[in-house]
Amino acid sequence: MAALHPLIRLMRPHQWLKNVFVFAGLMFSQAWNNGPLVSRVLYAFLAFCCFSSLVYILNDWRDRAADAQHPSKRLRPLASGVVSPRQALILATVLLLTGVGLAWGSRALLLILTLYVVLNLAYSWRLKHVPVVDVSIIASGFMLRLLAGTVAVGIPPSRWLLLTGLFIALFLGFSKRKAETFHEPEQQRAVLEHYPPALLDTYIAATMTATVITYGLYATSIEALQQHGERLVYTVPVVVFGLLRYAYQVHRGRGEDVSRDLLRDPWILAAGIAWLALFLGSRFWR
């Protein structure tokens, strides 16, 4: 039986940071005093953690032979042989059953999770080689997380919040591709042949600009002013700073793993803390 630590590594829990998008609807609706609603969102988050780990395990299981020949991927639990294919599939089954159990009370959530798995498997097995489609699927994963935390639990989604989520997801996706261009040529994804550096820079600039515009429109909307007061407007410069700092890191080749790179940069962390302080302060500074 494999040791516990390799099995945990196989699930890639650091990637669960992406699943905090599930909490966006709860935060922006200021419904955190509604106990049953908070519980439903928490179950949706945990279900997404199970399903996202499930997808990573299936991908590693499929690619284990190729990963064993890769300079860095050969250290992954399956590729290195620390975890056997059978053990990986057993863990995947446990995660599937656990995730379904957590989402069982909501047909909408089950549908969203199913769509998430189908899109990600299609991405990993074929569509990751199709330019723009690859990043669009990455972005769809973030959008499905937003929908899981709104529609699936009964929170009406804000159109500006959904648009902001879409554009920031596209920004992160194209930033990931840009960071991957810093690899040695033999380690780069095949799809990067179809992404000239200037085109990636254009995509990053366009999606970052769209994120700033849509978030600014949301922060100044009547809906946001009624719910959060004017303090939400003051978070706009913080968001702009965070995006610019992340773009800086990307152009140094450090934006490939969003979850890890966001946590490694103290300035991005500081921006996140400042945003949270201003956002929570909006409850008391109306």
Side-chain angles (χ1 to χ4, degrees):
M1 182 64 184
L4 182 60
H5 183 256
L7 292 175
I8 294 175
R9 283 180 53 219
L10 186 62
M11 292 191 295
R12 302 190 200 178
H14 71 279
Q15 296 288 357
W16 294 347
L17 179 64
K18 299 174 184 177
N19 297 330
V20 299
F21 269 63
V22 173
F23 292 104
L26 181 67
M27 289 187 63
F28 283 98
S29 66
Q30 294 200 27
W32 45 70
N33 292 325
N34 185 332
L37 186 59
V38 171
S39 296
R40 292 201 296 271
V41 175
L42 181 59
Y43 285 152
F45 168 78
L46 294 174
F48 248 103
C49 289
C50 290
F51 272 75
S52 58
S53 289
L54 167 67
V55 169
Y56 285 124
I57 292 173
L58 292 178
N59 289 339
D60 285 356
W61 177 85
R62 179 179 182 272
D63 297 335
R64 62 189 185 279
D67 288 348
Q69 309 301 319
H70 192 275
S72 58
K73 294 180 180 180
R74 62 184 177 84
L75 301 176
R76 290 178 176 177
L78 266 170
S80 65
V82 177
V83 175
S84 71
R86 179 175 177 274
Q87 291 166 341
L89 291 179
I90 291 174
L91 178 58
T93 302
V94 171
L95 289 170
L96 174 62
L97 294 176
T98 303
V100 170
L102 289 166
W104 189 253
S106 171
R107 290 184 180 179
L109 181 55
L110 285 170
L111 178 61
I112 288 171
L113 289 167
T114 301
L115 184 58
Y116 172 82
V117 172
V118 170
L119 285 174
N120 275 274
L121 292 180
Y123 166 85
S124 297
W125 294 353
R126 182 169 297 274
L127 297 182
K128 65 182 179 181
H129 302 299
V130 183
V132 181
V133 174
D134 61 331
V135 174
S136 297
I137 291 179
I138 294 174
S140 72
F142 288 97
M143 292 303 297
L144 289 173
R145 290 173 172 91
L146 278 174
L147 290 173
T150 55
V151 175
V153 297
I155 299 174
S158 163
R159 63 185 185 279
W160 290 119
L161 181 60
L162 290 177
L163 282 173
T164 301
L166 170 63
F167 288 125
I168 197 170
L170 288 170
F171 166 74
L172 292 174
F174 287 120
S175 295
K176 176 179 172 66
R177 289 291 177 264
K178 178 69 177 182
E180 290 169 347
T181 64
F182 288 82
H183 291 180
E184 295 298 325
E186 62 273 10
Q187 297 182 22
Q188 291 185 7
R189 295 176 183 268
V191 74
L192 289 177
E193 297 179 4
H194 305 286
Y195 281 121
L199 181 62
L200 280 175
D201 290 339
T202 300
Y203 286 161
I204 290 172
T207 52
M208 182 167 63
T209 301
T211 299
V212 172
I213 292 174
T214 52
Y215 183 77
L217 288 171
Y218 171 69
T220 56
S221 66
I222 296 176
E223 171 191 359
L225 290 173
Q226 289 176 342
Q227 286 190 326
H228 309 289
E230 294 185 357
R231 299 292 287 184
L232 191 59
V233 177
Y234 303 137
T235 65
V236 175
V238 178
V239 171
V240 173
F241 171 81
L243 292 171
L244 292 175
R245 178 69 186 183
Y246 193 76
Y248 164 76
Q249 291 288 18
V250 166
H251 282 76
R252 300 175 66 201
R254 298 185 180 180
E256 181 179 353
D257 191 325
V258 176
S259 300
R260 284 178 175 162
D261 291 321
L262 284 176
L263 295 175
R264 286 175 178 171
D265 189 306
W267 291 104
I268 294 178
L269 280 176
I273 293 171
W275 182 91
L276 192 61
L278 288 169
F279 177 79
L280 294 177
S282 66
R283 298 179 63 194
F284 310 106
W285 294 87
R286 296 192 180 196

